[in-house]
């Protein structure tokens, strides 16, 4: 044990040294201090309850996995609308269809005043949504499930049609004169991902190949794209299906010495920066903030005024093609995590 | 020796018989994996166009090194008779801590790197401490750590930075020098070689030296072979195991810093599932799941096989829908070949 104690003492010494460093070794650039300065300049954006309606409760259940940046933005939109509408907002998620259905059931048991559900796995959720409708709870579907939404008894669907978004990418690739593109799927078996790539294939005049990568392992994503670009130097466009993977693709392109243009679905601060400095060609945004915000706001409108939007058709939040020109204007919104 | 001395006893102890070089080679734990690696290499050299180019070799080595850096301490831990299921998310933890400390304190990037080292070693120490104090199986202890770290990665990141990924620290002081150490690259003869390859080879060399040339190496084999017997002859079993877990922590720190400084933003949900890949690499490399047998070089070869297979499939342009199937089949074949060679080696020695 004596050795272990020596080890502990050594660790303590390093800790003290590190703390000493934090006091003396501040960074003059970047960091939280810079962020605080920015935030102080634009404090007014926070939502406040603007209505006198009773405090209704709205629950949202999504198919998000843990720590997904996309769903983080959806939640931000929903929370801001809830703050403005005097709504108590509840959120739960599971990427397993059965568990997602159980979460919906538990909110139905709680008798919430409104329910927002994603239908990535429609069959698993059919019974639970029917239960909610039977219990008189208004349901709005978001993101995925535009085809099933109405049949399941939902008021409205708010989201992006994945195939339409893919088609928009195919058109944009044609406009940019691309001949051979790579579609990088980071989650094997995700129906929406397959639809996106299939949509690109429909409208794209050139050839499109799919590449599956392991989305939880970023160096593997990079090495796989690198390997693909090396084995086929004629590829002139790489399309990633999620914003975090665009940067890995840019690095893969550089190390592989490829001249392919990197384009991506979805947006984040790094993608906005990449568009600005020309590392990325374009991004397709489906505005996740809008999906959360509109869903909560429409439930409020329905309870308050029996308003319904879309007339039985899905309300589309995308695709919006974003290029270099838009990047500067969007950078501040991606920075705070709402675009 | 005097003339009256009796002639050498013909049936002297067989353990003292000098082994022939060939037999020595056959008894090495990594031999099977080396044969397997050669087979995988030849296979892809034939079927995959472009696999043999220098640039491709750099890519394969990079893929192997990111697994290999972690496979080394995991192999040592397995030789010592234990598992670590928290190794995959610990890499993400190391990257998150480093990024968030630097950002939130607006401190030099190296401050985050230093605090991250302490946290990583601390988690390893915690694993070892709980394991040796409670005598629970390592499967349970590290599964608990795995789940706690997964939750902490998400919960703390969101609590501190308000989003599920960290903020960029690329514009902060110290970033460039830290990137040079953890995520730089050079081009040699058309191949882009990442610095992780150097870290990997260095760690393999150090681990091999520890295993074969130091007293601590003997302790590792002893506690993995039979912990009670080892304790009876005076091996500090608890300290050995705790240090092995801290070794995993150290390498997770290296891996995590690479992740942070090559992408500068870290997603908090990453790393889950990678712990199995590290264990697979160690097993392919000849480490016994039951402990007491294996080598660091073998784990490195195991990581290399993994890197060749996962990228070879891309070079071969096989239908990506079958990716996981091919990967599984290749791994199984390599391991079977490895086991077969080892059995032959044991039969002839």
């Amino acid at each position: 044990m004596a050795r272990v104690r020596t080890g502990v003492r050594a660790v303590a010494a390093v800790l003290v040294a590190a703390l000493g460093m934090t006091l003396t070794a501040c960074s003059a650039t970047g960091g939280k201090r810079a962020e605080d300065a920015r935030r102080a300049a634009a404090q007014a954006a926070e939502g406040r309850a603007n209505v006198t309606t009773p405090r209704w409760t709205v629950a949202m259940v999504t198919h998000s996995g843990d720590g997904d940046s996309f769903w983080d933005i959806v939640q931000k939109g929903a929370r801001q609308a809830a703050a403005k509408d005097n709504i108590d907002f509840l959120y739960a998620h599971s990427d397993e269809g059965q568990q997602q259905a159980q979460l919906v059931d538990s909110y139905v048991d709680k008798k919430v005043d409104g329910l927002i559900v994603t239908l990535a796995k429609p069959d698993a959720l059919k019974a639970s949504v029917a239960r909610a409708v039977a219990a008189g709870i208004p349901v709005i579907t978001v993101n995925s499930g535009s085809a099933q939404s109405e049949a399941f008894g939902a008021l409205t669907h708010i989201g992006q049609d994945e195939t339409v978004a893919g088609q928009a990418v195919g058109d944009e690739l044609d406009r940019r004169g691309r001949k051979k593109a790579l579609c990088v799927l980071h989650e094997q078996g995700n129906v929406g991902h397959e639809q996106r790539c299939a949509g690109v294939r429909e409208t794209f005049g050139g050839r499109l190949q799919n590449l599956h990568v392991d989305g939880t392992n970023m160096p593997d994503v990079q090495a796989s794209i690198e390997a693909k670009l090396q084995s086929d130097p004629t590829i002139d466009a790489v399309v990633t299906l999620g914003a975090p993977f665009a940067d890995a693709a840019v690095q893969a392109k550089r190390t592989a010495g490829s001249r392919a243009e990197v384009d991506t679905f979805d947006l984040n601060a790094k993608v906005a920066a990449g568009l600005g400095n020309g590392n990325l060609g374009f991004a397709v945004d489906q505005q996740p903030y809008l999906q959360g915000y509109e869903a909560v706001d429409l439930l409020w409108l329905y309870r308050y005024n029996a308003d319904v939007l879309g007339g039985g058709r899905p309300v589309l939040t995308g695709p919006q093609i974003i290029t270099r020109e838009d990047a500067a204007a969007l950078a501040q919104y991606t920075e705070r995590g709402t675009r | 020796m005097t003339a009256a001395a009796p002639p050498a006893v013909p049936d002297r102890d067989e353990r003292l018989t000098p082994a022939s070089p060939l037999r020595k080679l056959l008894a090495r734990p990594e031999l099977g994996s080396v044969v397997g690696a050669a087979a995988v290499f030849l296979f892809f050299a034939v079927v995959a166009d472009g696999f043999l180019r220098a640039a491709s070799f750099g890519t394969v080595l990079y893929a192997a090194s990111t697994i290999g850096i972690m496979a080394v301490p995991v192999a040592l831990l397995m030789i010592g008779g234990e598992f670590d299921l928290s190794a995959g998310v610990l890499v993400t933890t190391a990257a998150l801590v480093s990024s968030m400390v630097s950002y939130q304190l607006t401190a030099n990037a190296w401050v985050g790197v230093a605090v991250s080292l302490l946290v990583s070693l601390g988690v390893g120490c915690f694993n070892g401490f709980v394991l040796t104090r409670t005598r629970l199986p390592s499967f349970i202890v590290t599964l608990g750590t795995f789940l706690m770290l997964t939750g902490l990665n998400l919960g703390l990141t969101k609590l501190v930075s308000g989003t599920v990924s960290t903020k960029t620290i690329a514009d902060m002081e110290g970033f460039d020098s830290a990137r040079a150490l953890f995520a730089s690259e050079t081009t040699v003869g058309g191949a882009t070689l990442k610095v992780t390859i150097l870290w990997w080879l260095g760690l393999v060399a150090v681990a091999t030296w520890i295993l074969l040339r130091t007293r601590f190496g003997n302790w590792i084999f002893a506690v993995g072979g039979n912990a009670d017997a080892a304790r009876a002859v005076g091996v500090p079993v608890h300290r050995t195991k705790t240090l092995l877990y801290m070794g995993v922590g150290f390498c997770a720190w290296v891996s995590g810093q690479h992740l942070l400084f090559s992408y500068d933003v870290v997603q908090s949900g990453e790393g889950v599932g990678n712990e199995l890949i590290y264990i697979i690499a160690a097993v392919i490399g000849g480490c016994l799941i039951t402990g007491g047998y294996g080598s660091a070089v073998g784990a490195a070869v195991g990581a290399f096989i993994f890197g060749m297979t996962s990228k070879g499939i891309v070079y071969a342009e096989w239908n990506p829908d079958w990716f996981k199937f091919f990967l599984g089949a290749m791994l199984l074949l390599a391991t079977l070949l490895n086991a077969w060679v080892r059995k032959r080696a044991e039969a002839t020695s």
Side-chain angles (χ1 to χ4, degrees):
Chain A
M1 284 315 286
R3 273 289 183 89
V4 172
R5 239 171 254 131
T6 328
V8 169
R9 230 172 277 142
V11 167
V14 179
L15 182 64
V16 169
L19 283 177
M21 273 171 76
T22 57
L23 296 177
T24 54
C26 282
S27 171
T29 53
K32 187 169 169 49
R33 204 172 295 155
E35 183 196 354
D36 288 344
R38 278 196 301 274
R39 185 175 295 160
Q43 192 70 53
E46 284 300 304
R48 300 267 179 282
N50 286 328
V51 294
T52 52
T53 42
R55 189 148 181 89
W56 288 318
T57 303
V58 164
M60 179 181 225
V61 185
T62 72
H63 65 274
S64 159
D66 284 338
D68 190 314
S69 50
F70 178 92
W71 290 101
D72 203 43
I73 302 176
V74 176
Q75 264 190 78
K76 280 219 171 81
R79 283 185 196 284
Q80 229 145 62
K84 191 197 70 180
D85 293 343
N86 194 24
I87 279 174
D88 194 14
F89 179 72
L90 305 172
Y91 179 80
H93 67 96
S94 172
D95 48 7
E96 298 283 331
Q98 192 194 13
Q99 284 177 37
Q100 198 196 343
Q102 286 169 4
L103 289 169
V104 173
D105 284 343
S106 60
Y107 283 131
V108 173
D109 295 338
K110 265 179 78 95
K111 299 193 171 61
V112 293
D113 301 299
L115 198 56
I116 302 160
V117 189
T118 65
L119 298 181
K121 284 142 188 166
D123 295 329
L125 284 157
K126 191 172 186 179
S128 298
V129 172
R131 255 192 89 209
V133 173
I137 299 173
V139 178
I140 284 183
T141 57
V142 295
N143 186 256
S144 36
S146 56
Q148 294 85 6
S149 176
E150 199 183 3
F152 282 15
L155 299 177
T156 309
H157 178 83
I158 301 163
Q160 164 181 267
D161 188 303
E162 301 294 8
T163 312
V164 172
Q167 288 165 344
V169 171
D171 285 334
E172 184 69 22
L173 288 174
D174 277 339
R175 198 166 306 132
R176 287 159 181 264
R178 301 289 144 182
K179 293 282 169 276
K180 196 166 189 186
L182 194 63
C183 198
V184 183
L185 302 98
H186 58 267
E187 213 180 283
Q188 197 135 17
N190 183 319
V191 181
H193 288 185
E194 299 283 351
Q195 286 172 344
R196 285 180 177 183
C197 291
V200 178
R201 191 168 286 114
E202 275 174 36
T203 51
F204 181 42
R207 250 193 92 210
L208 182 84
Q209 286 179 299
N210 285 7
L211 177 71
H212 287 275
V213 296
D214 181 4
T216 58
N217 187 346
M218 208 51 100
D220 182 76
V221 173
Q222 187 190 329
S224 289
I225 298 173
E226 211 173 290
K228 188 70 191 178
L229 289 177
Q230 284 162 351
S231 69
D232 189 351
T234 60
I235 292 174
D236 57 6
V238 177
V239 181
T240 58
L241 298 189
F245 306 100
D247 189 47
V250 168
Q251 300 210 24
K253 162 195 162 177
R254 190 173 43 77
T255 40
S258 160
R259 279 197 298 276
E261 173 183 280
V262 179
D263 308 307
T264 186
F265 281 82
D266 299 345
L267 198 63
N268 66 14
K270 275 215 100 168
V271 169
L275 289 169
N277 63 26
N279 276 339
L280 299 174
F282 65 91
V284 198
D285 193 16
Q286 59 170 312
Q287 308 188 81
Y289 182 87
L290 205 50
Q291 293 180 1
Y293 186 95
E294 283 298 308
V296 170
D297 216 25
L298 285 181
L299 281 172
W300 183 85
L301 280 169
Y302 179 75
R303 291 221 81 102
Y304 179 70
N305 209 26
D307 283 330
V308 178
L309 209 61
R313 295 289 184 91
V315 179
L316 298 186
T317 58
Q320 189 192 16
I321 302 265
I322 293 164
T323 58
R324 186 169 200 158
E325 287 78 55
D326 318 300
L330 291 181
Q332 52 173 318
Y333 307 131
T334 56
E335 198 66 46
R336 70 179 186 201
T338 57
R339 272 307 285 265
Chain B
M1 197 183 277
T2 61
V9 188
D11 56 35
R12 66 179 194 174
D13 194 329
E14 48 96 18
R15 284 171 299 182
L16 295 176
T17 318
S20 74
L22 179 68
R23 194 148 293 169
K24 254 188 191 161
L25 180 73
L26 284 173
R28 301 283 315 147
E30 59 270 5
L31 177 75
S33 61
V34 170
V35 175
V40 171
F41 182 83
L42 281 178
F43 177 73
F44 281 115
V46 172
V47 302
D49 193 31
F51 185 75
L52 285 180
R53 277 203 301 264
S56 313
F57 199 62
T59 307
V60 167
L61 274 184
Y62 174 55
S65 69
T66 54
I67 298 164
I69 287 175
M70 286 306 288
V72 166
V74 166
L76 256 55
L77 187 65
M78 270 173 91
I79 297 170
E82 304 292 347
F83 274 110
D84 191 348
L85 296 179
S86 65
V89 285
L90 184 54
V91 172
T92 311
T93 305
L96 287 171
V97 167
S98 184
S99 166
M100 285 197 290
V101 165
S102 300
Y103 189 86
Q104 297 298 329
L105 301 179
T106 320
N108 190 297
W110 284 99
V111 175
V113 172
V115 174
S116 171
L117 175 62
L118 286 179
V119 171
S120 310
L121 290 176
V123 172
C125 200
F126 172 82
N127 275 333
F129 184 79
V130 174
L131 181 93
T132 51
R133 282 303 159 95
T134 62
R135 292 169 192 270
L136 286 171
S138 60
F139 183 84
I140 298 297
V141 173
T142 59
L143 189 63
T145 316
F146 161 76
L147 291 171
M148 288 193 291
L149 285 181
T150 312
L152 275 177
N153 283 357
L154 289 171
L156 265 185
T157 309
K158 185 125 191 217
L159 194 69
V160 172
S161 57
T163 56
V164 290
S165 58
T166 63
K167 309 274 170 87
T168 174
I169 61 162
D171 56 349
M172 297 184 67
E173 284 175 11
F175 184 86
D176 292 326
S177 52
R179 171 174 251 177
L181 180 64
F182 292 109
S184 58
E185 61 193 33
T186 70
T187 308
V188 178
T192 307
L193 298 178
K194 305 257 183 182
V195 73
T196 47
I197 300 169
L198 277 185
W199 277 100
W200 178 37
L201 297 179
L203 285 167
V204 172
V206 170
T208 304
W209 175 75
I210 288 176
L211 271 181
L212 300 181
R213 289 277 178 269
T214 67
R215 191 170 55 157
F216 185 67
N218 285 334
W219 291 351
I220 297 175
F221 282 108
V223 298
N226 186 335
D228 290 330
R231 186 176 293 111
V233 297
V235 172
V237 174
H238 289 186
R239 200 203 306 167
T240 305
K241 292 198 169 177
T242 305
L243 284 172
L244 284 175
Y245 274 108
M246 288 174 76
V248 176
F250 176 80
C251 293
W253 171 73
V254 174
S255 233
Q257 304 315 299
H258 168 67
L259 208 60
L260 171 62
F261 289 105
S262 51
Y263 303 106
D264 93 60
V265 170
V266 189
Q267 307 286 316
S268 56
E270 273 196 28
V272 178
N274 289 352
E275 62 281 344
L276 286 179
I277 292 175
Y278 309 144
I279 292 173
I280 291 169
V283 171
I284 293 178
C287 291
L288 283 188
I289 293 183
T290 47
Y293 188 81
S295 73
V297 174
V301 178
F304 187 53
I305 291 182
F306 212 97
M308 280 195 294
T309 311
S310 60
K311 298 306 153 252
I313 288 166
V314 179
Y315 289 116
E317 306 211 337
W318 283 336
N319 184 342
D321 295 346
W322 294 82
F323 181 91
K324 290 269 164 68
F325 176 83
F326 284 130
L327 199 60
M330 292 299 292
L331 290 177
L332 203 55
L333 278 176
T335 318
L336 277 175
L337 183 65
N338 172 14
W340 179 75
V341 171
R342 191 162 66 212
K343 203 180 271 176
R344 292 284 302 234
E346 278 163 7
T348 54
S349 63

